[in-house]
Amino acid sequence: MSTATTSHPPSVSRRTFLRVSSAAAGGLLVSLYLDWPTIAQQPATPKVYPPDAFVHVRPDGKIVVQVNRLEFGQGVQTALPMLLADEMDADWLQVIAELAPAGDVYRDPVYGIQMVGGSGSIAHSFEQYRQLGARTRAMLIAAAAAQWKVTPTQCRAESSVVYGPNGQSARYAELAEAAAHLPVPENIQLKKESDLRLTNKEVRRLDSGAKCNGSQKFGLDVDLPGMKVALVAHPPVFGAKVKGFDANAARAISGVQEVFEIPLVRGTGVAIVADRFWAAKQARDRLRAEWDTASVERPDTAQLFAKYRELARTPGNVAVSRANANAMDSISPANRILAEYEFPYLAHTPMEPLNTTVRFDGDRAEVWGGSQFQTVDRMAIAEVLGLKPEQVTFHTEMAGGGFGRRATPDSHVQREAATVAKRLRGIPVKLIWTREDDVQGGYYRPMHVHRVEVGIGGDGMPAAWRHVIVGQSILAGTPFAPMMVKNGVDSTAVEGTADTKYNIPNFHISAHHPAINVPVLWWRSVGHTHNAFVMETLIDELARRAKADPIAYRLKLLSPDAKKLRNCLALLQGKTASWRSLPRNHAVGIACHESFETGVACAVEVSIEDKRPRIHRATITVDPGFAVNPLTIASQMQGGVTFGITQVMSRGAITLKDGRVEQRNWDGYTPPYMKDAPVIAQVHIVPSSEKPSGCGEPPVPVISPAVVNALSRLTGKRYRTLPLTEI
Amino acid sequence: METFKLTVNGQVKEVTADPGTPLLWVLREDLKMTGTKYGCGIAACGACTVHLGGVPTRSCVVPVALVRNRPILTIEAMADDPVGRVVQDVWVSEDVVQCGYCQSGQIMSAVALLKSTPKPTDKDIEESMGGNLCRCGTYVRIRQAIKTSARQLG
Amino acid sequence: MMCSYERKIGFALGGQIVSPVKVGLLTIILISVASLVGAGARNQEGTRTGPRPSRAEGLAAWQQIYSVMSHPRCINCHTADGYPQQTDDRHRHLFNVVRGPEGKGVAALQCATCHQSSNADSTGVPGVPDWHLAPLSMRWQDANDKVLPSSAVCRTVTDRTKNGGLDGAALVKHHQTELVKWAWQPGLRNDGTARSIPPISYEQFIAATRNWTQARMPCPQ
């Protein structure tokens, strides 16, 4: 065993252990063990490392790479193996990527738990996977050198073959067994950019084939002998409890096995277990349950907005206060803009409905599911079952989207599944949230009201900015709160405003976080969804007042160190130079925003068709630092802007009346279809050698302000209330 | 419960199910063909699209009793279909998929479109694919891949 | 309080909750009563055997027909644009369903993509053979989805350049197609409740159509 230290990221001091061994099935196993002060509270007992590998060089030449986080569309299952294979000089066509199960070794090197979030996959595991690849390669070369009695420096590797100085060659598969007995090299050199063969190249996804022929198994496709399906009748108002229920009609459905009350994270519910989904669904439809909704708060959207608007008139907890908070008072009212914005709750509605399969065997349990939070979900399941986390084997299944919805700090779906499995002991049970459960079940992007007062200086630039944000805290009550809630301000509520890259001298941001009986959650790009909308529509309004070009105005206002956004805007300017002459009734809208350390700028050409915005084309420029897979980055940009259009759909809102969610399915809460998305979306990546940053979330914030900025140019109206029900 | 004879991808299968059970769940749970996906259950998303008697059909809303003697084709049969094969290959070469969950349905719709409209216009594509939802937002690439497929098939 | 998981099987009729089965029975009873009442005046096919109805009787019959045609079960597929409508509030059909060249949708999004040859009550999708939209020439709505007045609908229905060349007898036949009949057996919605049906019975509708055609299809001014 050897140890090595890595330098990235500098804030985290940790030791890295690598261990190699022979695989039971033959070949070389390279396992990486990390040890660091974790964010999550872990006991400081000595660890017993499980034999979990990152790389397995199999005797048949296949190289199996374990991906330490969920693949749910973002492309990490291709990108991380690319990084590793590149440094390893592996034959890419022989690389097989697998989603690693829950395990300490697979924790995110920065977050300290196994998870996907914060667009951190590449940013956090870039170095990790490169190092793994480089060390594995070094061992294979050392094995060859020893065989040939030459020094490793005399050898080179290419496409899973080591070549010696005198015409010798050996395949990795042949060297694997010998390499498994060598020490892990301490010092390794990562490749120069010019030597990279896969990284920074357009590499197609590894999972496309299976996803196009129906063979890819997702969590919902898990099928085990004797498996049952469970649905839960959830309370009609969050947190309500069952007063009583009549299950006679439900039990009469053929195939229904059990109907019983279960505790939920919020309130209680009635679980229905059946042989088949349809039987469970029919049974649930026929269940007559009575709920105690009187003793829980019954939120109502209209009342909440009234309350939020009221709150927005008073300063909240201070997020940032720069220079003179009262500078506004010296600006004449004629040179001020007062803007009130309203944003609704938004559901994620990933294509694959939420689900988890659990089998409880008394002293151990096995779990199958797509999870953004393996560590958290596994602990929650263990807790429900009275087990230790290591007694729970957690298989990470491919997930059909997530966008934050599969990262729930309270693991509410997994707890439901474990609760049912505990009763069914020995029988695997797949718990499914139907689309109705998903749309009505909470965990929404919180609704918000923003009240902004902008004082405009003589040069047409903002001289004073007073901004109050009202919305629930996503982090309050979660284990993340101590780190991310400061001075009573949830950092995810003000991100994109408090840390704006615009240079506004007198700048004051505060926030109120009312507690409301609606579960809220991070929705792809989190606080940036609403903050970027506010900032980018207001900046556009200011640019128009100043009769300035929207890109030039932004470049002028950006602080000098906003390098990434400057790069993006400059590139956008060039790429849209030919957009000068547009068809009649078409207009261009611009927006830019930096989030998760990635800059994105966007131009859209929009007209109004059938009373809706028609996005004829979008050009997106992005600065993500070093581009690991430009093809994936382009996909993320195209897809991310389309996801962001959810915000401006006419039915893009979750609303509540007397505590009940008014939408049931995609008929009432309707995300964008093809005709709502840009017809063309061109992506241009700023060339960069800086350390890579994330791409999953950063495209989302720019599109909705860009679209309404274009609409404003067409209609002369300002759009400050979402969803866009009328244009 | 009733017993039904279904012709799925050319093979006759017998299933015993409640007559109201949507074809989707018979395919997924009784026949273990999970390539056809459940997304909404109300025909809002198209993830469950199969070809029923040659008609692209939302299997989540068609009770098994109404299938009668019409042959069923699912995504699992597309590799053996001359149009399906090309569409699948182009989908891969143009890196269309992200999470991939909707793509079975997208491909089934695209194949149906190309079979009846070999040279689809943008409007044809938008209208025919109009009921297939993709939360990852792969629409731009789907549109392009249909055009490429049309060229390759032409 | 009772909650949403109870499927609302049955619907309100005359203030009573009745099951679909009972509604079926009720309809049969009503039809039987109607035919008994009319027995003296009609032959086996329900056609009047007496003198030709007057213009005033014809106009009255038309109003009955119009009450059916303007009902959502009928008018939702007699739209003025590229889309069918749905439900009693007659909103534009969701999921981007379009008319298509022959009123049957487009290649990969056909009416038959969801609508089968009979109602799918377990999933709430209505169906009957030949489910399709009426041609634009037979639109009974204006550009704002407002139902056209009785006189305008009547002119459309009686204009053989617009109605597909149908004369009176052919109109009676059209009203006897499965598609038209469906309006009185429209099945259950996906929440398990029954769809509403036109204000008069199917038998009354057919009788009114016969009377109106025999009165030479008069239209109100």
Side-chain angles (χ1 to χ4, degrees):
Chain A
M1 186 181 290
S2 98
T3 62
T5 53
T6 51
S7 57
H8 166 74
S11 57
V12 181
S13 82
R14 63 168 192 268
R15 289 172 298 154
T16 305
F17 302 89
L18 263 183
R19 191 182 70 178
V20 294
S21 58
S22 293
L28 166 69
L29 272 180
V30 179
S31 308
L32 172 78
Y33 304 128
L34 303 169
D35 199 6
W36 60 78
T38 57
I39 292 171
Q41 301 304 307
Q42 302 277 342
T45 50
K47 288 182 185 61
V48 179
Y49 292 109
D52 295 332
F54 273 79
V55 195
H56 181 190
V57 182
R58 292 198 327 210
D60 64 358
K62 297 284 184 202
I63 294 160
V64 184
V65 178
Q66 295 295 319
V67 176
N68 63 356
R69 53 192 77 228
L70 178 68
E71 169 66 55
F72 58 154
Q74 84 280 39
V76 73
Q77 197 208 22
T78 302
L80 291 178
M82 271 169 69
L83 292 166
L84 189 148
D86 207 340
E87 288 295 340
M88 187 179 156
D89 281 320
D91 179 357
W92 181 242
L93 297 178
Q94 301 299 315
V95 171
I96 296 170
E98 287 182 354
L99 300 185
D104 283 352
V105 298
Y106 301 122
R107 290 185 294 180
D108 180 287
V110 174
Y111 294 134
I113 61 170
Q114 192 176 355
M115 64 169 278
V116 173
S119 295
S121 296
I122 295 298
H124 299 173
S125 280
F126 176 71
E127 181 97 358
Q128 181 186 21
Y129 273 75
R130 294 185 77 193
Q131 295 241 359
L132 277 159
R135 283 174 208 280
T136 308
R137 172 182 177 274
M139 283 182 283
L140 290 159
I141 286 183
Q147 222 171 71
W148 301 329
K149 300 190 170 36
V150 297
T151 64
T153 51
Q154 290 176 285
C155 303
R156 66 180 185 90
E158 192 183 322
S159 199
S160 289
V161 179
V162 182
Y163 296 94
N166 306 311
Q168 310 97 320
S169 71
R171 288 179 294 116
Y172 280 3
E174 297 163 344
L175 298 166
E177 201 57 40
H181 300 284
L182 294 176
V184 179
E186 203 147 327
N187 299 311
I188 43 104
Q189 188 96 44
L190 295 179
K191 284 183 176 179
K192 295 200 300 281
E193 211 177 301
S194 56
D195 291 336
L196 294 169
R197 288 187 169 80
L198 292 164
T199 316
N200 199 228
K201 308 285 186 291
E202 294 200 340
V203 177
R204 289 187 193 122
R205 301 179 65 103
L206 291 172
D207 53 5
S208 283
K211 287 177 174 177
C212 291
N213 65 19
S215 65
Q216 176 68 57
K217 299 289 181 206
F218 293 83
L220 202 67
D221 301 329
V222 166
D223 185 35
L224 300 161
M227 188 179 79
K228 303 289 177 194
V229 172
L231 296 184
V232 173
H234 297 101
V237 178
F238 297 117
K241 290 183 173 162
V242 178
K243 271 208 270 189
F245 64 93
D246 172 359
N248 287 333
R251 287 204 176 91
I253 301 288
S254 168
V256 172
Q257 186 177 328
E258 289 205 61
V259 182
F260 54 97
E261 190 177 339
I262 61 167
L264 303 175
V265 169
R266 287 175 176 77
T268 62
V270 180
I272 290 138
V273 178
D275 291 339
R276 296 277 194 279
F277 173 84
W278 194 248
K281 168 145 190 322
Q282 282 184 297
R284 190 174 73 171
D285 287 345
R286 280 159 183 74
L287 181 76
R288 295 169 63 90
E290 206 175 335
W291 305 87
D292 174 15
T293 56
S295 51
V296 287
E297 179 199 328
R298 295 190 301 280
D300 190 286
T301 299
Q303 288 169 15
L304 288 179
F305 271 126
K307 174 180 169 176
Y308 280 24
R309 278 193 293 265
E310 203 54 47
L311 270 174
R313 289 171 184 279
T314 61
N317 293 323
V318 176
V320 54
S321 186
R322 199 153 59 223
N324 183 0
N326 298 318
M328 193 70 68
D329 303 338
S330 61
I331 295 170
S332 81
N335 289 327
R336 290 189 209 172
I337 295 173
L338 177 63
E340 269 191 2
Y341 287 81
E342 293 182 8
F343 300 92
Y345 287 113
L346 295 174
H348 309 65
T349 66
M351 287 302 299
E352 182 200 3
L354 305 173
N355 65 89
T356 298
T357 302
V358 180
R359 191 189 62 232
F360 174 56
D361 294 321
D363 56 350
R364 62 182 298 278
E366 209 164 353
V367 180
W368 296 261
S371 166
Q372 289 179 250
F373 264 8
Q374 289 101 322
T375 306
V376 176
D377 290 343
R378 185 198 204 185
M379 282 169 67
I381 289 166
E383 186 188 300
V384 170
L385 297 176
L387 299 173
K388 294 182 185 128
E390 53 269 29
Q391 291 172 290
V392 177
T393 305
F394 191 112
H395 305 280
T396 306
E397 300 297 326
M398 182 70 74
F403 320 112
R405 187 64 182 88
R406 294 183 211 274
T408 44
D410 63 15
S411 305
H412 63 104
V413 173
Q414 292 75 14
R415 284 175 189 272
E416 285 180 17
T419 305
V420 176
K422 192 171 186 180
R423 169 130 163 182
L424 288 171
R425 197 173 171 135
I427 298 169
V429 58
K430 175 157 64 185
L431 182 124
I432 300 173
W433 269 44
T434 62
R435 181 60 59 200
E436 287 82 4
D437 291 319
D438 180 43
V439 169
Q440 304 201 305
Y443 299 86
Y444 308 126
R445 193 286 305 270
M447 59 179 275
H448 280 90
V449 165
H450 287 237
R451 192 172 201 271
V452 194
E453 215 177 346
V454 185
I456 306 165
D459 56 356
M461 307 310 276
W465 193 287
R466 231 165 20 199
H467 191 151
V468 182
I469 299 169
V470 184
Q472 283 163 269
S473 166
I474 295 172
L475 296 162
T478 74
F480 303 92
M483 284 196 58
M484 295 168 77
V485 180
K486 297 266 161 67
N487 309 321
V489 177
D490 181 328
S491 61
T492 69
V494 299
E495 60 186 2
T497 298
D499 55 351
T500 181
K501 298 288 175 186
Y502 291 120
N503 193 5
I504 302 166
N506 301 292
F507 191 66
H508 191 85
I509 307 282
S510 68
H512 295 276
H513 298 311
I516 309 292
N517 182 27
V518 178
V520 291
L521 195 63
W522 19 67
W523 190 91
R524 193 171 179 181
S525 82
V526 201
H528 298 282
T529 54
H530 51 100
N531 283 303
F533 188 89
V534 171
M535 295 304 290
E536 285 304 296
T537 52
L538 278 174
I539 297 300
D540 213 65
E541 192 172 335
L542 291 169
R544 285 197 79 187
R545 269 176 86 125
K547 298 189 170 50
D549 170 80
I551 294 180
Y553 186 91
R554 285 173 169 85
L555 283 168
K556 188 175 168 193
L557 186 59
L558 281 170
S559 72
D561 62 354
K563 221 177 91 191
K564 285 187 168 179
L565 281 181
R566 290 180 168 281
N567 290 342
C568 290
L569 284 170
L571 188 57
L572 188 70
Q573 208 160 30
K575 295 296 177 187
T576 55
S578 64
W579 290 26
R580 296 282 175 228
S581 62
L582 296 178
R584 257 178 51 120
N585 301 326
H586 285 217
V588 175
I590 302 287
C592 69
H593 193 72
E594 185 169 322
S595 57
F596 308 94
E597 294 176 41
T598 291
V600 180
C602 175
V604 288
E605 181 186 333
V606 172
S607 70
I608 299 170
E609 269 179 26
D610 221 1
K611 300 179 190 163
R612 298 307 306 165
R614 173 72 165 166
I615 309 170
H616 299 274
R617 56 179 162 166
T619 291
I620 304 144
T621 56
V622 53
D623 186 345
F626 184 60
V628 170
N629 187 346
L631 198 55
T632 304
I633 292 171
S635 279
Q636 285 304 301
M637 294 301 125
Q638 292 167 333
V641 297
T642 302
F643 189 86
I645 291 168
T646 309
Q647 284 215 109
V648 292
M649 292 293 289
S650 62
R651 294 169 193 256
I654 295 288
T655 56
L656 297 105
K657 199 154 184 63
D658 195 30
R660 288 155 189 263
V661 175
E662 295 185 284
Q663 294 73 25
R664 283 174 58 87
N665 201 313
W666 278 323
D667 50 353
Y669 175 75
T670 310
Y673 287 95
M674 183 182 272
K675 75 178 171 61
D676 307 301
V679 177
I680 300 166
Q682 287 179 327
V683 179
H684 303 281
I685 303 171
V686 174
S688 168
S689 295
E690 292 193 11
K691 81 177 174 66
S693 50
C695 286
E697 297 170 272
V700 178
V702 293
I703 188 74
S704 47
V707 168
V708 304
N709 287 342
L711 288 176
S712 286
R713 280 162 203 270
L714 288 169
T715 66
K717 293 190 216 164
R718 287 286 155 197
Y719 302 95
R720 294 192 168 123
T721 300
L722 295 184
L724 275 189
T725 47
E726 272 176 40
I727 290 166
Chain B
M1 301 295 261
E2 276 177 43
T3 300
F4 299 92
K5 264 201 178 119
L6 303 174
T7 309
V8 187
N9 299 337
Q11 289 186 304
V12 179
K13 311 263 186 187
E14 215 173 76
V15 293
T16 300
D18 177 288
T21 310
L23 172 61
L24 168 69
W25 294 102
V26 170
L27 290 170
R28 288 181 55 81
E29 295 187 329
D30 294 276
L31 302 178
K32 313 282 185 199
M33 298 170 73
T34 53
T36 305
K37 301 299 185 200
Y38 163 63
C40 65
I42 61 164
C45 76
C48 66
T49 305
V50 300
H51 295 178
L52 186 55
V55 177
T57 299
R58 305 289 188 247
S59 65
C60 75
V61 293
V62 178
V64 64
L66 298 188
V67 171
R68 309 228 161 88
N69 54 2
R70 292 177 289 173
I72 301 156
L73 282 183
T74 72
I75 185 70
E76 285 91 349
M78 284 303 105
D80 299 322
D81 179 285
V83 176
R85 176 89 234 170
V86 169
V87 171
Q88 284 177 331
D89 287 350
V90 171
W91 241 247
V92 171
S93 66
E94 302 206 344
D95 222 43
V96 170
V97 315
Q98 290 186 32
C99 88
Y101 194 82
C102 73
Q103 300 294 349
S104 295
Q106 303 279 2
I107 288 173
M108 294 309 284
S109 290
V111 170
L113 166 64
L114 288 164
K115 282 189 174 177
S116 78
T117 317
K119 295 274 171 254
T121 61
D122 265 310
K123 183 168 178 273
D124 291 333
I125 295 172
E126 234 171 67
E127 288 187 341
S128 259
M129 304 302 290
N132 283 88
L133 204 56
C134 171
R135 288 300 276 138
C136 297
T138 62
Y139 300 122
V140 176
R141 290 190 188 211
I142 288 173
R143 186 191 292 265
Q144 192 52 48
I146 290 174
K147 291 178 184 174
T148 308
S149 302
R151 267 201 305 280
Q152 291 195 6
L153 287 161
Chain C
M1 97 225 165
M2 302 306 294
C3 177
S4 59
Y5 283 97
E6 177 197 350
R7 234 168 104 101
K8 295 183 212 87
I9 299 175
F11 64 101
L13 188 78
Q16 278 181 301
I17 301 291
V18 285
S19 78
V21 178
K22 283 188 190 150
V23 172
L25 281 174
L26 198 63
T27 311
I28 291 163
I29 292 163
L30 283 173
I31 290 166
S32 313
V33 170
S35 48
L36 279 174
V37 168
R42 293 158 207 256
N43 67 10
Q44 272 179 316
E45 285 181 309
T47 316
R48 269 175 186 261
T49 49
R52 180 183 298 286
S54 67
R55 179 181 164 80
E57 285 171 314
L59 284 173
W62 166 256
Q63 280 312 121
Q64 285 192 296
I65 297 167
Y66 179 70
S67 76
V68 172
M69 289 178 168
S70 55
H71 187 273
R73 291 297 79 70
C74 299
I75 202 159
N76 279 358
C77 287
H78 284 265
T79 60
D81 54 18
Y83 316 93
Q85 293 161 346
Q86 290 180 293
T87 80
D88 288 354
D89 72 9
R90 296 179 41 232
H91 61 255
R92 179 192 283 194
H93 198 299
L94 298 173
F95 323 139
N96 302 316
V97 168
V98 294
R99 169 182 291 277
E102 290 161 8
K104 294 181 174 180
V106 289
L109 191 51
Q110 306 178 18
C111 299
T113 292
C114 295
H115 299 280
Q116 304 298 307
S117 54
S118 55
N119 292 326
D121 282 345
S122 64
T123 58
V125 178
V128 74
D130 198 28
W131 191 270
H132 69 278
L133 273 161
L136 280 171
S137 63
M138 286 301 288
R139 58 179 175 261
W140 299 338
Q141 310 184 21
D142 67 12
N144 297 316
D145 299 342
K146 218 180 130 213
V147 181
L148 293 177
S150 165
S151 55
V153 172
C154 190
R155 278 198 299 277
T156 311
V157 173
T158 52
D159 182 343
R160 288 171 68 172
T161 67
K162 288 181 176 171
N163 77 1
L166 304 186
D167 61 9
L171 276 170
V172 175
K173 274 211 160 116
H174 173 66
H175 285 184
Q176 291 172 320
T177 57
E178 291 297 307
L179 186 58
V180 172
K181 268 190 208 162
W182 167 87
W184 283 268
Q185 289 137 26
L188 304 180
R189 303 183 184 107
N190 74 359
D191 65 359
T193 58
R195 285 193 182 80
S196 69
I197 56 173
I200 60 170
S201 75
Y202 178 65
E203 291 297 313
Q204 287 171 316
F205 175 61
I206 291 298
T209 307
R210 289 187 199 284
N211 289 342
W212 176 64
T213 54
Q214 284 168 9
R216 304 205 170 126
M217 305 196 286
C219 284
Q221 292 305 304

